[in-house]
Amino acid sequence: GAVVSQHPSWVICKSGTSVKIECRSLDFQATTMFWYRQFPKQSLMLMATSNEGSKATYEQGVEKDKFLINHASLTLSTLTVTSAHPEDSSFYICSALAVPSYEQYFGPGTRLTVT
Amino acid sequence: QKEVEQDPGPLSVPEGAIVSLNCTYSNSAFQYFMWYRQYSRKGPELLMYTYSSGNKEDGRFTAQVDKSSKYISLFIRDSQPSDSATYLCAMSAYGNQFYFGTGTSLTVIP
């Protein structure tokens, strides 16, 4: 299957700082990438849909000014958590959409801890 | 009513058993169906992908889609302890919006 990487896999930051998470599709081009958040023992919660060359579409309740998404190329999307607070601590997972099959491939996830 | 319903389990089976995992859905427009396996603290891994109806087999895994009943299944034959994980179903109508089940936690006991 196709490979999606995420970096970093784990990050600890202080409250008030910003953190950038990278999502890369390694062996295919993805015009669409998704960003999810997952709490322990819960399912995936879609945060936003990222389309290459255009603004991301955010789900209801997700602050677009806090979670900045940039999909600058067909293989890279970034999520920046700005002014992070402890309640932003979570597991963030990206995925990339392969066309024309519409198979969605996930990255390994990034565990963010805000102290 | 949720778009996708999945029994969260937990499901516990002995090694070698056949496991049956299921999801039901309400949107008749869904035509892309996927099963993912997720280990703790890891991203989901695509196991099976089916377009429209029918069966698909890959090794010990078989995915079935019954669009008339709005029901999809994943069967795991000769289950192994390494199959212990959470299994998520996912589906989409047009490939732009995906709906996930809540996941079924499976434990295979040696």
Side-chain angles (χ1 to χ4, degrees), chain B residues 21-93:
Chain B
L21 303 166
N22 312 293
C23 288
T24 59
Y25 61 95
S26 56
N27 189 343
S28 57
F30 286 155
Q31 52 183 339
Y32 303 99
F33 303 93
M34 288 137 284
W35 284 97
Y36 290 88
R37 176 175 63 194
Q38 185 177 23
Y39 293 111
S40 181
R41 298 174 179 256
K42 300 288 184 185
E45 172 194 359
L46 181 62
L47 275 181
M48 300 291 282
Y49 163 84
T50 308
Y51 172 72
S52 192
S53 277
N55 296 355
K56 186 173 183 178
E57 187 174 321
D58 184 1
R60 297 185 295 111
F61 299 91
T62 299
Q64 289 184 351
V65 175
D66 182 348
K67 293 188 73 176
S68 61
S69 302
K70 299 191 182 70
Y71 187 88
I72 69 170
S73 300
L74 177 70
F75 297 96
I76 307 174
R77 291 184 298 280
D78 187 25
S79 55
Q80 301 295 309
S82 58
D83 295 328
S84 299
T86 296
Y87 290 80
L88 295 156
C89 64
M91 45 200 85
S92 178

Side-chain angles (χ1 to χ4, degrees), chain A residues 2-20:
Chain A
V3 180
V4 175
S5 70
Q6 257 181 268
H7 179 79
S9 56
W10 182 48
V11 58
I12 300 175
C13 70
K14 291 183 184 279
S15 188
T17 61
S18 295
V19 174
K20 180 186 282 190

Side-chain angles (χ1 to χ4, degrees), chain A residues 36 38 43 97 101 104 106-108, chain B residues 36 38 43-44 49 95 98 100-101:
Chain A
Y36 295 86
Q38 189 175 38
S43 190
L97 193 63
S101 62
Q104 194 177 155
F106 284 85
Chain B
Y36 290 88
Q38 185 177 23
Y49 163 84
F98 291 79
F100 287 82

Side-chain angles (χ1 to χ4, degrees), chain A residues 23-25 28-33 50-54 69-78 96:
Chain A
C23 178
R24 293 182 185 271
S25 56
F28 67 103
Q29 293 183 329
T31 54
T32 301
M33 291 184 174
S50 165
N51 291 296
E52 188 265 339
S54 64
I69 291 171
N70 185 1
H71 194 155
S73 77
L74 290 172
T75 58
L76 173 64
S77 177
T78 60

Side-chain angles (χ1 to χ4, degrees), chain A:
Chain A
V3 180
V4 175
S5 70
Q6 257 181 268
H7 179 79
S9 56
W10 182 48
V11 58
I12 300 175
C13 70
K14 291 183 184 279
S15 188
T17 61
S18 295
V19 174
K20 180 186 282 190
I21 302 170
E22 290 188 350
C23 178
R24 293 182 185 271
S25 56
L26 298 185
D27 50 5
F28 67 103
Q29 293 183 329
T31 54
T32 301
M33 291 184 174
F34 300 94
W35 286 95
Y36 295 86
R37 189 172 176 176
Q38 189 175 38
F39 293 102
K41 298 191 185 300
Q42 294 190 23
S43 190
L44 303 165
M45 184 184 81
L46 179 65
M47 298 176 65
T49 301
S50 165
N51 291 296
E52 188 265 339
S54 64
K55 290 184 179 181
T57 303
Y58 290 82
E59 294 299 300
Q60 193 172 5
V62 177
E63 298 176 60
K64 61 179 68 175
D65 294 330
K66 181 168 188 59
F67 297 100
L68 300 179
I69 291 171
N70 185 1
H71 194 155
S73 77
L74 290 172
T75 58
L76 173 64
S77 177
T78 60
L79 168 68
T80 301
V81 183
T82 62
S83 187
H85 290 283
E87 57 266 31
D88 299 324
S89 298
S90 191
F91 192 51
Y92 292 87
I93 313 175
C94 72
S95 70
L97 193 63
V99 293
S101 62
Y102 297 110
E103 291 167 280
Q104 194 177 155
Y105 294 95
F106 284 85
T110 296
R111 184 158 303 281
L112 170 63
T113 301
V114 184
T115 61

